[in-house]
Amino acid sequence: MAGSAHATNHREQQPAVPAPRALSPRAQWLRDYYFRGVDREWNNEFSCWTTGTDWDVVYDETTYYIVPETYAFFQPFRSSTLQAARRVDLPDDFWQRGLAERRAWLIREIMVNRLPREILPGDLIAGARFNLLASRCWNREEARRRDAEVNGPRGTRAAIKDFHEHGYGNTGATSGHLLPDYPRVIEHGWGAIHRDLEQRYDALDHAAKNGQPGSQLRAMMTAALMPGELAGKYAGCCRDEARDEADPARRAELENMARNLERVPWLPARNFWEAVQSLWLTHMLVMSDENYPGPGLSFGRVDQYLYPCWRRSIENGMDREFGKEILRCFWVHANTAYDAMIKIGGNQGITSGFGQLITLSGIGAEGVDTTNDLTYAILEVIDEMSPILEPKPSVRLHRGSPNRLLDTVVDMISRSHGSPFLLNFDERSMAGMMREAAEAGYQHLVNEDNVHEYAPVGCLENTMVGNDRSGTVDSNLNLLKAVELALTGGEDLAPAMDAVTGESREISRDGPRTGDAGKFDRWEDFWAAYSRQNEFIVQRCVDLYERTESLRARFSPTPYLSCLVGGCAETATDVTRGGAEINLTTLEGVTFATTVDSLCAIKYLVYDRGLCSMEELTAALRDNWDGHETLQAWARWRAPKYGRDQQEADAMACAVMDLWTDETWKHSTVSTGRRFRPGMLSWNYWVDGGYVMAASADGRPRGRFLSNAICPSNGADTSGPTANVNSVGQALGGRGSDGDWQDYRNSLPNGASHTMSFSPSLLRDAEHREKFKGFLRGYCENGGTALQVNVIDTDTLRDAQLNPGEYRHLLVRVTGYNAYFTSIGRELQDEVIAREAHS
Amino acid sequence: MLNLQRMSTEDGPGIRTTVFLKGCSLECTWCHNPESVESATCVAWHESRCSGCIPRENTTGSNGDARPALTPCQDACLKGALTATGGTIHIDHALCSAGNGCNAACTDACPWAALELLGQRRSAADVFDEVVRDLAWYGCSGGGVTVSGGEPSLRPAFTSELLRLCRERGIHTAIDTCGQCTWQALERSTRHADLVLYDLKEIDSARHADFTGRSNHEILRNVLALAQRFREQQRRDSLWIRTPLVPGLTANEENLRGLGEFIAGKLGDVVTRWELLAFNNMAGDKYRRLGNRWELEGVETMAAGELENLQQVAHSCGLDGDKIVVTGPVKVPCDPGGKQTGARTPRPPAAR
């Protein structure tokens, strides 16, 4: 689900979208054909498959518990997907096999023998249909037990809805969001993986062979055969097409593709074409195995692990342009993940909810920058193919990033009205990974020698590669809920509402009784109550997560993915059962700035300035500030706010950060032993949560957005971009002699989403682009883990005119000076808008 | 001090913090920072922030008295300098004693932060503590700190001390001056400045006096003295000249040629940059906020052709063309569909 919601949303908002340029006829055709959507002759829509039992289930709702918009559709999806499912004839001993073996057999059978295959005109990469909703392969008893935990008033479905409606957030064991060990496949092939599994299986004793370990390894061996077999079938397609092909050049390509597929991904890739083919088939089958297209299943540092093959091919005479042509085809394939919902989703299923992230550049061994020719080739492809959503690019920057890379990045930003990619910052990110290693006892897996190999998944969530499942969007907790509960002594401030019926629920008292806040004489008393409530909300999230995690561990194995995650084969444990060597799950803190600002406001209004009593403040919040406009103004415009590089609010931010991250590290899942680690992603929950959560003490009424990830509240960062960034860096821990990596500290190993807006005029000429490069270099020093740059468009400026309160932070260049857009007069605003519209 | 702007990108190289001081030795007709001209502290009202708490909350007294209740800001003002009528706050600057024994309680009383105190007395050390927070950004971008105005040479002790503290920390230092001051004041203010942004507005002394209230004698004498000092110190990258191009006033060929020949002939060896700042007609609002009217209200920005013409004149004066930089808005043909209606324009379908 983590698909760079911010970057995408911004892109969708851009009225003037640059058109792709200088594309080859082949890539242009493939791109145009893709965007014909349902008018294509075929697409990659989910296809549904059943074992034919009366109790079969095809749609597993638990993986969508983190998408509140889908709650109302669980039952219809469950029924309709089963109805649409085609029956697969099963082998006689099917039901005698273990669950993982059944699933492995079924997925392999569908992919290799059932799904149609197609090679598009001019395409250089094979591997077209992969979106499945396949039977969960439960026997009658498994289905009964699992349904008993999911359905009914005490089931997980009701519990997750309740959790969301009462403003806590959402949680659920979710698919994707990891970096499979693709480099191993490219380098050694699936044959080597299969041989390794065989050896491990042979080494098991009799009891283990007949037990769970044997079943798991047999399942994984079955799965490991699938890529090679499927490639063989595609090789046949290519041979057939080649036979009928009149154009000798295309015929040669098809024959070459057939040779590629007869070799990879079973054997090691020898050249760039084979490597990209091997990567794509291996990757798409993870989506088949998980029945989950796209979200968060990421590629990692492609410019590093594909580079040996790239260099070899270039040395052997591959035209660089042809290498890029292979990449362009790969780009189009990645976008077909969206076809899953091509008919029922809006916009042909193309949403922001996906995110097959690729990572470019970054620090290498011994601190040396790793940018290479392939990095630039891929950036060129991104530039040429844009706008196109997948795969989502991330560029890793650090203090030693070369000027040429920054020039390219800033040039692309300045021409695209917004960043075409996520910028990830190595020093701060690696500090977070080192903190994680220390907290969770993983120093043997993450340390000075290899921490630079990390890469982000999904939107921006940092993990290690090939042995790490950190459940990066599995739990999303509204930190603000603890403030609300502290104000009321443990009950909801306002009645929760049923999202479907609009029905009001009764006020529930779920939190600990921390007492009447009106009787707290000192700020410290309130803070103590808040701390207690914070413990409670984390515990509540952890407990609910455990229920879904335990369900997945018992009922939803992914044996194919397990082949690609280090630790699973070694311990004969499926990745869903905690088989990954780095076996963590992430609690994403949502509403950070709103929480900090609300605490600042309570302290300011009630304790520091005595502008109201706690009772008056609580009454104002219950009334959603109606009739309390003056008090709301004090809270909104005069109370301290995080994001201004000012001591008081930023100290509060650090206190909140320490409190909730310390609390998070205390927990692990019971069923799978996954330690919780903290992060701040917020996907788009801060938008929806603004309607779910009651008014907050920072002056926000119900219905206004919450703060996004680690960003200051909308409009709060009135001291400019550098101050905003300084605050973010401070909130993560800043720098100091006790740094986690060199002198950088980072409380959030997962990383934190940070989005900033700039006027296009700040990038208007070479001199100013140079200044912006300086800004990015400064971000390396003082900032957070990841940044998304938005170069603001005129629509937004017009919106700022209408809603100045939301945009007090918006800096525009006037002339000879920069000014805050909302602080200048109407005619000047009009002038700036007119100028932006024409520049 | 008036205020401090971080991530300033228009006052010298790199990313800078610009420190605006209050008080100016000229009174330029076109001034874009009218709030910085007077050295006295004053209070300004931000219309867009003001809640209009005047009409919304009890407009009549409890006993049916027709007199409106006092707003929080009026209530706080000891001098009765604020009147609230029809949703507007009027500040009687004659009565207002902000900065003159008054702590401007009115600004503190407004929950909406709609009243702003313009001008604060702050020590150089105190300001330094704030500007140093962006140290990393200066280093990464080749930026630093610029003291601007108003006119920094009116505060030579402060300016010199702040820049000295900055330099000690390795921060690049600049001042932005109009040059209207004694040589002693200029010498002192620029002592710790790595770069001087020096305004030359009008070459004809009488016209200069018309536009700014003062002749340009001292300004030209000072810039020559400054150039001489730089020559002696062998500094060839410490002086930028800036010229505002104001339609009908300074933006004419004769002035540009005169200034260009002066710069090329007398300063060419030490000037690294001559910035031509095209007029923007955007300060009227600031004047209104202070309760004044701008003399150039309604004057239009220059057409692109006009600006190009002046640029050519500048290039014909013998100064190295690479040193001439033009910045600022030009008049653009207006798209009739793009008129401001307050409504958002419809969006085309999502990215394709």
Side-chain angles (χ1 to χ4, degrees):
Chain A
M1 285 305 103
S4 304
H6 323 306
T8 309
N9 287 343
H10 284 311
R11 186 167 312 169
E12 283 166 2
Q13 280 169 17
Q14 300 301 332
V17 189
R21 53 200 199 111
L23 273 187
S24 65
R26 179 207 313 266
Q28 186 73 55
W29 188 89
L30 286 170
R31 192 182 181 286
D32 291 347
Y33 185 68
Y34 168 73
F35 281 117
R36 278 163 60 190
V38 286
D39 295 335
R40 272 179 264 154
E41 283 174 37
W42 69 270
N43 63 54
N44 187 29
E45 192 176 17
F46 276 134
S47 66
C48 306
W49 306 85
T50 173
T51 54
T53 61
D54 298 340
W55 58 82
D56 200 15
V57 174
V58 163
Y59 177 75
D60 183 2
E61 68 189 46
T62 60
T63 201
Y64 295 98
Y65 280 173
I66 61 158
V67 192
E69 298 89 317
T70 63
Y71 293 173
F73 302 105
F74 287 157
Q75 196 56 42
F77 277 159
R78 179 170 167 156
S79 311
S80 60
T81 52
L82 189 58
Q83 213 157 36
R86 276 164 278 184
R87 183 177 169 153
V88 181
D89 289 331
L90 306 174
D92 292 342
D93 65 343
F94 184 78
W95 296 107
Q96 277 80 61
R97 303 179 190 180
L99 176 55
E101 291 176 85
R102 280 174 251 154
R103 269 289 283 189
W105 182 88
L106 183 73
I107 302 292
R108 175 182 168 202
E109 172 66 14
I110 297 165
M111 290 310 299
V112 178
N113 296 322
R114 299 301 187 103
L115 271 189
R117 279 171 284 273
E118 187 185 44
I119 306 287
L120 285 178
D123 201 351
L124 298 172
I125 298 294
R129 294 192 68 163
F130 54 85
N131 280 334
L132 301 185
L133 288 173
S135 166
R136 309 312 299 177
C137 296
W138 296 321
N139 62 31
R140 186 194 298 269
E141 179 56 17
E142 285 161 347
R144 190 191 62 73
R145 277 192 285 131
R146 190 260 182 194
D147 271 355
E149 289 182 45
V150 169
N151 299 336
R154 292 172 187 281
T156 52
R157 188 190 292 179
I160 186 65
K161 191 160 169 282
D162 184 69
F163 190 71
H164 175 253
E165 280 170 7
H166 287 272
Y168 290 85
N170 61 74
T171 180
T174 299
S175 308
H177 300 95
L178 80 172
L179 297 162
D181 200 351
Y182 296 144
R184 182 183 179 199
V185 175
I186 290 167
E187 202 177 328
H188 301 288
W190 276 97
I193 293 173
H194 190 264
R195 270 195 306 284
D196 175 63
L197 289 165
E198 267 180 338
Q199 282 166 10
R200 291 182 189 281
Y201 182 73
D202 291 344
L204 292 181
D205 63 25
H206 185 70
K209 264 195 185 116
N210 288 331
Q212 164 71 29
S215 173
Q216 178 66 31
L217 289 179
R218 285 194 301 275
M220 289 167 69
M221 283 190 284
T222 301
L225 292 173
M226 173 167 63
E229 291 171 350
L230 181 62
K233 296 276 177 127
Y234 272 110
C237 286
C238 293
R239 295 254 178 243
D240 291 347
E241 298 246 343
R243 207 172 308 121
D244 303 334
E245 177 60 55
D247 173 12
R250 177 61 184 160
R251 189 161 60 238
E253 281 176 0
L254 286 162
E255 281 164 358
N256 203 331
M257 282 173 72
R259 286 196 298 280
N260 291 347
L261 288 156
E262 281 153 5
R263 182 175 171 87
V264 297
W266 186 250
L267 295 175
R270 295 167 305 186
N271 58 46
F272 187 66
W273 199 349
E274 287 179 359
V276 176
Q277 178 65 73
S278 179
L279 174 62
W280 173 250
L281 268 188
T282 302
H283 171 78
M284 78 172 216
L285 285 170
V286 179
M287 297 187 261
S288 310
D289 185 46
E290 289 204 293
N291 290 192
Y292 193 77
L297 178 68
S298 299
F299 293 104
R301 306 181 77 184
V302 287
D303 65 339
Q304 304 306 307
Y305 64 77
L306 290 176
Y307 185 62
C309 285
W310 171 267
R311 196 181 48 200
R312 199 175 310 138
S313 288
I314 294 277
E315 280 165 8
N316 290 338
M318 178 181 74
D319 180 10
R320 191 171 180 279
E321 232 359 82
F322 187 74
K324 283 170 61 184
E325 197 76 338
I326 293 167
L327 286 168
R328 293 184 194 110
C329 293
F330 173 81
W331 244 249
V332 174
H333 278 269
N335 282 274
T336 61
Y338 287 117
D339 289 0
M341 300 278 215
I342 195 165
K343 290 201 199 105
I344 56 172
N347 191 27
Q348 317 237 42
I350 301 175
T351 69
S352 64
F354 291 58
Q356 305 160 80
L357 202 62
I358 61 162
T359 299
L360 304 173
S361 185
I363 288 184
E366 286 158 18
V368 178
D369 179 74
T370 60
T371 312
N372 58 41
D373 181 49
L374 181 55
T375 314
Y376 291 112
I378 293 175
L379 285 169
E380 288 159 30
V381 169
I382 293 166
D383 202 20
E384 292 156 5
M385 295 292 284
S386 289
I388 197 163
L389 289 183
E390 300 288 319
K392 298 215 163 86
S394 150
V395 178
R396 273 179 46 177
L397 299 180
H398 59 100
R399 285 181 294 194
S401 291
N403 254 322
R404 182 183 162 197
L405 178 73
L406 278 173
D407 282 336
T408 310
V409 163
V410 172
D411 178 57
M412 285 169 73
I413 290 173
S414 70
R415 279 189 290 106
S416 64
H417 296 252
S419 171
F421 26 58
L422 171 78
L423 301 169
N424 218 66
F425 292 85
D426 281 344
E427 290 86 356
R428 188 76 70 192
S429 293
M430 295 193 303
M433 298 307 289
M434 294 295 283
R435 173 83 63 95
E436 163 182 311
E439 289 278 356
Y442 282 134
Q443 285 102 334
H444 60 298
L445 297 167
V446 187
N447 48 53
E448 293 281 350
D449 296 331
N450 75 344
V451 66
H452 61 268
E453 290 166 6
Y454 90 94
V457 304
C459 291
L460 51 89
E461 307 97 87
N462 293 328
T463 70
M464 295 303 282
V465 182
N467 65 345
D468 184 336
R469 172 164 253 183
S470 289
T472 66
V473 290
D474 285 8
S475 295
N476 304 285
L477 181 64
N478 290 328
L479 302 174
L480 181 62
K481 188 69 187 178
V483 181
E484 183 184 318
L485 295 175
L487 282 168
T488 58
E491 67 177 31
D492 290 340
L493 194 56
M497 209 159 19
D498 185 305
V500 179
T501 63
E503 212 175 287
S504 253
R505 304 239 185 269
E506 281 184 24
I507 294 267
S508 62
R509 177 181 285 277
D510 297 324
R513 315 234 162 166
T514 44
D516 178 357
K519 299 216 165 66
F520 296 156
D521 294 333
R522 300 173 313 144
W523 161 249
E524 289 73 19
D525 299 334
F526 185 83
W527 178 264
Y530 161 69
S531 306
R532 178 72 195 90
Q533 298 292 351
N534 179 68
E535 287 169 25
F536 164 72
I537 63 168
V538 171
Q539 182 71 52
R540 188 162 182 201
C541 185
V542 164
D543 290 346
L544 183 52
Y545 181 68
E546 173 60 29
R547 293 174 65 184
T548 72
E549 172 74 351
S550 139
L551 276 172
R552 179 168 72 176
R554 285 172 293 152
F555 298 111
S556 300
T558 50
Y560 173 82
L561 175 59
S562 299
C563 297
L564 295 166
V565 179
C568 296
E570 292 84 342
T571 57
T573 306
D574 198 272
V575 67
T576 57
R577 290 174 162 258
E581 280 185 316
I582 299 177
N583 189 36
L584 301 164
T585 187
T586 307
L587 202 160
E588 304 282 3
V590 185
T591 67
F592 176 65
T594 311
T595 305
V596 173
D597 293 350
S598 293
L599 290 165
C600 284
I602 292 167
K603 183 166 183 289
Y604 175 85
L605 298 173
V606 179
Y607 295 102
D608 294 351
R609 291 208 48 169
L611 289 160
C612 66
S613 67
M614 194 71 86
E615 287 87 348
E616 284 166 324
L617 177 60
T618 311
L621 297 178
R622 285 194 209 281
D623 293 342
N624 201 27
W625 295 110
D626 282 344
H628 307 271
E629 283 75 15
T630 304
L631 187 59
Q632 182 184 20
W634 282 110
R636 192 158 179 218
W637 304 121
R638 300 297 300 273
K641 297 268 186 289
Y642 157 72
R644 297 171 180 173
D645 197 14
Q646 281 165 6
Q647 166 60 21
E648 190 178 359
D650 287 1
M652 184 74 81
C654 291
V656 170
M657 184 68 87
D658 288 347
L659 185 77
W660 87 269
T661 57
D662 287 351
E663 194 57 32
T664 298
W665 284 115
K666 290 178 188 164
H667 297 276
S668 297
T669 61
V670 178
S671 53
T672 54
R674 297 166 81 192
R675 185 81 172 267
F676 279 84
R677 66 169 197 165
M680 279 188 193
L681 168 63
S682 295
W683 192 40
N684 55 17
Y685 303 128
W686 50 289
V687 176
D688 151 87
Y691 296 90
V692 174
M693 298 201 76
S696 44
D698 62 340
R700 177 197 136 271
R702 189 175 191 151
R704 181 175 295 147
F705 297 174
L706 298 157
S707 64
N708 171 12
I710 198 149
C711 305
S713 300
N714 234 356
D717 57 335
T718 51
S719 301
T722 55
N724 175 327
V725 174
N726 288 354
S727 286
V728 166
Q730 282 301 317
L732 288 170
R735 291 169 70 172
S737 53
D738 59 343
D740 299 293
W741 187 85
Q742 295 188 357
D743 64 342
Y744 287 82
R745 303 190 195 99
N746 183 358
S747 300
L748 300 177
N750 170 89
S753 172
H754 189 195
T755 306
M756 296 183 79
S757 302
F758 294 92
S759 156
S761 60
L762 280 172
L763 290 152
R764 68 187 184 276
D765 55 24
E767 184 178 337
H768 286 79
R769 285 195 287 277
E770 206 53 44
K771 290 183 195 235
F772 197 76
K773 276 167 63 185
F775 177 78
L776 294 179
R777 290 208 186 275
Y779 198 98
C780 290
E781 300 291 335
N782 285 14
T785 67
L787 176 68
Q788 304 191 65
V789 173
N790 171 39
V791 181
I792 211 92
D793 60 309
T794 50
D795 270 13
T796 310
L797 293 175
R798 289 193 184 107
D799 197 42
Q801 277 188 317
L802 296 176
N803 306 294
E806 304 287 326
Y807 291 92
R808 281 198 183 180
H809 64 299
L810 177 59
L811 198 60
V812 291
R813 186 185 155 271
V814 178
T815 187
Y817 64 99
N818 301 324
Y820 288 107
F821 185 77
T822 54
S823 75
I824 59 183
R826 173 75 188 205
E827 71 272 52
L828 170 50
Q829 293 180 343
D830 287 348
E831 174 66 28
V832 170
I833 289 172
R835 190 195 319 156
E836 299 302 350
H838 294 281
S839 61
Chain B
M1 193 182 101
L2 179 62
N3 64 5
L4 185 150
Q5 191 194 318
R6 293 167 71 168
M7 196 159 169
S8 167
T9 55
E10 311 301 326
D11 294 313
I15 292 171
R16 312 190 70 81
T17 296
T18 303
V19 179
F20 291 96
L21 304 184
K22 257 181 93 58
C24 190
S25 44
L26 296 179
E27 287 182 52
C28 303
T29 320
W30 56 78
C31 182
H32 284 87
N33 285 325
E35 68 276 26
S36 71
V37 175
E38 288 293 327
S39 60
T41 305
C42 66
V43 171
W45 174 62
H46 291 266
E47 185 178 359
S48 70
R49 293 183 184 178
C50 186
S51 72
C53 61
I54 311 134
R56 197 160 55 223
E57 295 184 359
N58 315 323
T59 46
T60 54
S62 50
N63 52 4
D65 186 347
R67 264 185 332 154
L70 292 180
T71 64
C73 52
Q74 286 179 302
D75 202 27
C77 181
L78 301 174
K79 297 280 180 178
L82 300 171
T83 40
T85 45
T88 302
I89 299 285
H90 177 75
I91 303 163
D92 185 338
H93 291 284
L95 284 177
C96 175
S97 58
N100 194 10
C102 172
N103 64 358
C106 58
T107 61
D108 198 43
C110 177
W112 282 267
L115 290 172
E116 186 187 9
L117 180 64
L118 299 176
Q120 283 168 285
R121 201 164 279 285
R122 290 178 63 178
S123 72
D126 181 35
V127 174
F128 174 74
D129 285 344
E130 199 170 339
V131 302
V132 80
R133 300 190 69 87
D134 279 349
L135 186 63
W137 307 92
Y138 309 144
C140 288
S141 67
V145 169
T146 300
V147 183
S148 180
E151 176 47 48
S153 66
L154 292 180
R155 313 259 179 226
F158 171 91
T159 303
S160 161
E161 176 62 4
L162 176 60
L163 296 186
R164 187 187 66 77
L165 290 168
C166 289
R167 243 192 193 170
E168 254 178 32
R169 283 296 286 275
I171 299 172
H172 180 270
T173 54
I175 89 161
D176 177 10
T177 177
C178 72
Q180 177 58 46
C181 56
T182 63
W183 167 245
Q184 287 77 7
L186 187 66
E187 195 280 328
R188 188 162 180 206
S189 305
T190 57
R191 197 175 292 165
H192 300 289
D194 297 316
L195 174 69
V196 178
L197 311 175
Y198 201 106
D199 284 9
L200 293 178
K201 306 169 200 293
E202 170 62 56
I203 194 70
D204 181 277
S205 190
R207 285 170 66 86
H208 194 279
D210 279 352
F211 304 153
T212 71
R214 305 290 288 266
S215 83
N216 63 13
H217 292 154
E218 206 158 14
I219 293 170
L220 296 180
R221 201 172 61 227
N222 278 338
V223 78
L224 291 174
L226 193 63
Q228 185 54 34
R229 200 184 77 194
F230 287 155
R231 242 172 244 124
E232 285 161 8
Q233 296 170 340
Q234 308 209 328
R235 289 167 63 179
R236 296 281 186 255
D237 53 357
S238 298
L239 185 60
W240 290 12
I241 303 296
R242 310 220 282 187
T243 300
L245 302 178
V246 186
L249 304 178
T250 64
N252 57 71
E253 291 186 22
E254 204 183 337
N255 184 33
L256 265 273
R257 188 165 294 115
L259 284 172
E261 283 166 2
F262 177 82
I263 294 166
K266 306 232 161 100
L267 311 170
D269 56 332
V270 286
V271 161
T272 32
R273 182 154 161 148
W274 183 20
E275 283 189 346
L276 305 177
L277 312 168
F279 170 76
N280 75 74
N281 52 4
M282 306 167 178
D285 173 69
K286 282 186 172 184
Y287 281 83
R288 280 197 297 281
R289 203 175 285 167
L290 294 166
N292 301 326
R293 193 179 172 282
W294 191 27
E295 280 187 46
L296 299 191
E297 189 84 62
V299 172
E300 291 199 9
T301 53
M302 280 187 283
E306 208 179 334
L307 192 60
E308 264 166 41
N309 181 36
L310 291 176
Q311 198 177 344
Q312 274 178 14
V313 173
H315 276 269
S316 69
C317 299
L319 190 68
D320 180 356
D322 291 344
K323 294 182 176 179
I324 300 169
V325 176
V326 183
T327 175
V330 291
K331 211 164 13 185
V332 284
C334 196
D335 170 14
K339 279 282 175 211
Q340 303 310 306
T341 57
R344 292 171 73 90
T345 49
R347 301 169 189 284
R352 274 300 158 92

